[in-house]
């Protein structure tokens, strides 16, 4: 069974500082994808970054980077130089499965508040 | 704008009723996913369709059903509604449903069952 765990219900960070949001996953499948999404208070879900299980380097997208530690089964999101607009709910997600029958599951989320 | 359209945005109904939620995926996307987001259970995967066929099933109740039509739009039917079905229902789409594809989400349908 696949499982995504986000142990931090809420986080605070000072504006312009970096913050790490934790995500651990559980899978026995060697092929999987890990994703992070942002959900602002307006409610929409916005894709941020993804990491494939075979990728050798950590993914980066602007101020977002994914700290992928395969042996520990963790995929933490690092946001550098936090901005007030980063205040939102953040979800870690995983996709695994055989061809055509992938399930795409989400963690319970971490609510990030950026302080001025 | 993600390109995924969900209607209606808000829906208020009574227990025991039936409702239909509609989703139009991004142009060119063949896969459609449905999710339920409630305060106590996070984002729950319900079901995925690829080019009209069911591909994966999550924690979807028997009272719920979905389908994807030849024009690729999808509908989620919720029947015999209960108070606990009140939630935000998201539709998402992707190009083909591959392992490393990101999802594009609609703005959701907020369902309130009174």
């Amino acid at each position: 069974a696949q499982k995504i765990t986000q142990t931090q219900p809420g986080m605070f960070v000072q504006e312009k500082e970096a913050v790490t949001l934790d995500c651990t996953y559980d899978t026995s499948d060697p092929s999987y994808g890990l994703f992070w999404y942002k959900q602002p208070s307006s409610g929409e879900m916005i894709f941020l970054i993804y990491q494939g299980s075979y990728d050798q380097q950590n993914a980066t997208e602007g101020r977002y980077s994914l700290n992928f530690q395969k042996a520990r089964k963790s995929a933490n999101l690092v946001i550098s130089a936090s901005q007030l607009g980063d205040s939102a709910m953040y979800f870690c997600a995983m996709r695994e499965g055989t061809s055509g029958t992938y399930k795409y599951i989400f963690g319970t989320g971490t609510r990030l508040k950026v302080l001025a | 704008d993600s390109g995924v359209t969900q209607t209606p945005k808000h829906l208020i109904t009574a227990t025991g009723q039936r409702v239909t939620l509609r989703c139009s995926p991004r142009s060119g996307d063949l896969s459609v996913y449905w999710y339920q987001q409630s305060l106590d259970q996070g984002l729950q995967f319900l079901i995925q369709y690829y080019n009209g066929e069911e591909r994966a099933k999550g924690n979807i109740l028997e009272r719920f059903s979905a389908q994807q039509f030849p024009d690729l739009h999808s509908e989620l039917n919720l029947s015999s509604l209960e108070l606990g079905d009140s939630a935000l229902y998201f539709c998402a789409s992707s190009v083909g449903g591959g392992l490393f594809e990101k999802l594009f989400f609609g703005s959701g349908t907020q369902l309130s069952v009174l």
Side-chain angles (χ1 to χ4, degrees):
Chain A
Q2 46 189 344
K3 186 178 177 181
I4 291 278
T5 303
Q6 293 180 255
T7 57
Q8 306 154 313
M11 292 277 287
F12 289 95
V13 64
Q14 206 65 36
E15 193 178 11
K16 300 180 185 177
E17 292 186 352
V19 63
T20 297
L21 306 183
D22 294 341
C23 172
T24 58
Y25 60 92
D26 183 25
T27 180
S28 56
D29 198 314
S31 298
Y32 52 90
L34 298 158
F35 304 78
W36 279 91
Y37 288 82
K38 172 184 178 181
Q39 186 178 36
S41 57
S42 52
E44 74 270 29
M45 294 285 287
I46 303 167
F47 166 78
L48 295 177
I49 195 168
Y50 104 90
Q51 180 90 37
S53 58
Y54 296 115
D55 293 342
Q56 295 297 313
Q57 294 190 330
N58 288 341
T60 60
E61 289 283 349
R63 294 186 299 109
Y64 305 109
S65 60
L66 202 154
N67 184 0
F68 181 45
Q69 298 188 42
K70 197 169 183 176
R72 294 186 177 184
K73 294 188 174 179
S74 73
N76 299 338
L77 176 70
V78 180
I79 305 175
S80 62
S82 296
Q83 302 172 356
L84 295 178
D86 293 334
S87 294
M89 196 75 168
Y90 288 81
F91 291 95
C92 180
M94 179 174 70
R95 191 165 207 182
E96 57 143 41
T98 56
S99 177
T101 61
Y102 304 124
K103 290 187 180 180
Y104 206 120
I105 63 165
F106 287 77
T108 51
T110 295
R111 186 171 299 281
L112 177 67
K113 176 70 175 175
V114 180
L115 305 173
Chain B
D1 183 7
S2 67
V4 179
T5 303
Q6 285 189 253
T7 57
K9 290 191 183 303
H10 302 277
L11 199 50
I12 301 174
T13 187
T15 55
Q17 296 299 304
R18 172 189 170 93
V19 296
T20 297
L21 313 183
R22 182 187 169 99
C23 170
S24 294
R26 287 189 326 154
S27 176
D29 284 359
L30 299 178
S31 275
V32 169
Y33 310 73
W34 286 98
Y35 288 87
Q36 178 193 58
Q37 186 178 29
S38 53
L39 288 175
D40 59 345
Q41 292 196 1
L43 209 64
Q44 296 290 314
F45 170 68
L46 296 178
I47 197 163
Q48 177 204 350
Y49 281 86
Y50 173 77
N51 204 20
E53 294 186 1
E54 182 184 307
R55 279 301 174 90
K57 215 167 189 177
N59 301 320
I60 188 167
L61 300 173
E62 286 191 8
R63 300 183 286 109
F64 296 0
S65 65
Q67 60 184 129
Q68 186 180 27
F69 294 87
D71 66 353
L72 301 177
H73 91 271
S74 179
E75 293 181 355
L76 178 67
N77 299 298
L78 314 177
S79 61
S80 303
L81 285 168
E82 302 174 357
L83 296 177
D85 297 328
S86 295
L88 183 57
Y89 290 84
F90 280 110
C91 166
S93 73
S94 68
V95 175
L99 187 60
F100 303 122
E101 288 182 2
K102 62 185 179 183
L103 300 185
F104 294 88
F105 281 81
S107 56
T109 294
Q110 182 67 57
L111 174 67
S112 298
V113 182
L114 306 177

